[in-house]
């Protein structure tokens, strides 16, 4: 975990690039107390250890289904498709899809222990955090940490998505949602340690998987904030891989591109010149 001294920072989108309904602005000064946060999202291997130690059953397992991106559906799960999501038909409701069967029955995570766990609800993430003696980060903590000290920047590394043509995060490349231009038509998650860390040592705070935060989306809604975007974000419809971007989901929802990372408090007397 990265131990961060906290303090005041400028939170929000200074470029006016967000969806108005997402309420990324106005940019405002926010103060966070000292805290620690995982440098990576929780991995399949870590979640497997939790499930093995506790016998925990996720919401997706209890409900009997979860949502899989159409290009990732396992051939053996084609008969398990319950339907498509209205307004987002690239999402398939698949019987048996869960964190250890992320593309539906027939798939597994045997060779992806270092990839972020997916198909976890907000309640599942909280259960893991409780087992580990941790908690979910607040939205302000998440953005402060994700910025890595770069206030006002569009991404954790600066303002250009691919500086010098170098890919900096895992988002969708190709004709969304029907064709990936990656080698072999690949899409989906990459290891939690992929790409370069930001100034605070955090990895993949843009792209790869959405990450649950502790905060409600709005009072009384019951929904929770998610941050960071995912491997399905694409400029043609969703540019929420920007560090100020935000979205939301119901706390019992699970998808093939949703994960989390953990945080915990530090004493207010914590002082450190360089986070680490």
């Amino acid at each position: 975990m990265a131990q961060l001294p906290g303090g005041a920072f400028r939170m929000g989108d200074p470029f006016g690039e967000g969806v108005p309904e997402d309420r990324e602005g106005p940019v405002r000064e926010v103060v966070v107390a000292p805290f620690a946060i995982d440098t990576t999202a929780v991995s399949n291997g870590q979640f497997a250890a939790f499930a093995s130690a506790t016998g925990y059953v996720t919401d997706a397992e209890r409900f009997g289904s979860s949502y899989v991106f159409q290009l990732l559906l396992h051939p053996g799960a084609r008969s398990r498709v319950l339907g498509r999501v209205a307004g987002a038909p690239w999402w398939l409701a698949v019987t048996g899809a869960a964190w250890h069967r992320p593309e539906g029955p027939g798939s597994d995570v045997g060779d992806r222990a270092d990839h972020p766990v997916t198909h976890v609800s907000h309640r599942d993430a909280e259960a893991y955090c409780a087992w580990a003696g941790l908690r979910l980060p607040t939205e302000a903590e998440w953005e402060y940490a994700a910025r890595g000290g770069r206030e006002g920047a569009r991404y954790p590394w600066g303002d250009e998505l691919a500086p010098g043509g170098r890919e900096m995060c895992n988002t969708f490349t190709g004709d969304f949602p029907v064709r990936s231009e990656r080698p072999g038509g690949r899409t989906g998650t990459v290891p939690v340690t992929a790409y370069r860390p930001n100034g605070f040592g955090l990895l993949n705070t843009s792209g790869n998987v959405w990450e649950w935060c502790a905060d409600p989306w709005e009072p009384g809604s019951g929904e929770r904030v998610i941050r960071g975007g995912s491997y399905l974000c694409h400029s043609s419809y969703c540019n929420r891989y920007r560090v100020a971007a935000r979205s939301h989901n119901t706390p019992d929802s699970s998808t093939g591109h949703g994960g989390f990372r953990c945080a915990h408090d530090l004493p207010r007397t914590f002082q450190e010149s360089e986070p680490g």
Side-chain angles (χ1 to χ4, degrees), residues 4 8-15 27 142-160 163 168 196-202 205-206 227 242-244 275:
L4 305 181
F9 80 105
R10 301 282 290 171
M11 183 173 177
D13 169 29
F15 300 97
V27 175
W142 191 97
E143 184 169 327
Y144 170 86
R147 288 190 172 280
R150 287 182 175 269
E151 281 197 19
R154 185 175 279 115
Y155 308 109
W157 54 86
D159 289 336
E160 293 183 55
M168 303 294 288
R196 293 180 176 179
N198 71 7
F200 290 164
L202 275 68
T205 53
S206 284
R227 298 295 301 258
R242 295 169 297 100
V243 73

Side-chain angles (χ1 to χ4, degrees), residues 12 23 32 41 54 60 74 83 87 104 109 113 145 161 167 173 187 194 197 202 212 221 231 263:
R23 301 191 298 276
V32 295
T54 64
H74 190 276
V109 294
L161 179 60
E167 184 177 81
T173 299
T187 189
L202 275 68
W212 288 110
S221 74
Y231 61 83

Side-chain angles (χ1 to χ4, degrees), residues 22-107:
D22 286 351
R23 301 191 298 276
E24 295 179 23
V27 175
R28 65 276 189 199
E29 184 173 281
V30 175
V31 177
V32 295
F35 69 103
I37 188 167
D38 285 342
T39 56
T40 69
V42 172
S43 69
N44 285 315
Q46 291 173 304
F47 199 83
F50 157 63
S52 176
T54 64
Y56 184 80
V57 178
T58 63
D59 278 337
E61 292 171 285
R62 291 192 303 106
F63 296 152
S65 66
S66 190
Y67 293 94
V68 177
F69 178 53
Q70 62 183 10
L71 296 185
L72 292 175
L73 182 68
H74 190 276
R78 288 170 183 160
S79 65
R80 304 295 190 94
V81 175
L82 300 172
R84 295 177 181 267
V85 175
W90 50 87
W91 279 117
L92 309 178
V94 180
T95 300
W99 73 269
H100 54 300
R101 296 187 296 266
E103 291 85 41
S107 66

Side-chain angles (χ1 to χ4, degrees), residues 2-3 29 40 68 79 86 97 99 114 118 121 131 153 219 235 262:
Q3 296 184 339
E29 184 173 281
T40 69
V68 177
S79 65
W99 73 269
D114 61 346
T118 58
S121 69
W131 171 74
S235 59
C262 306

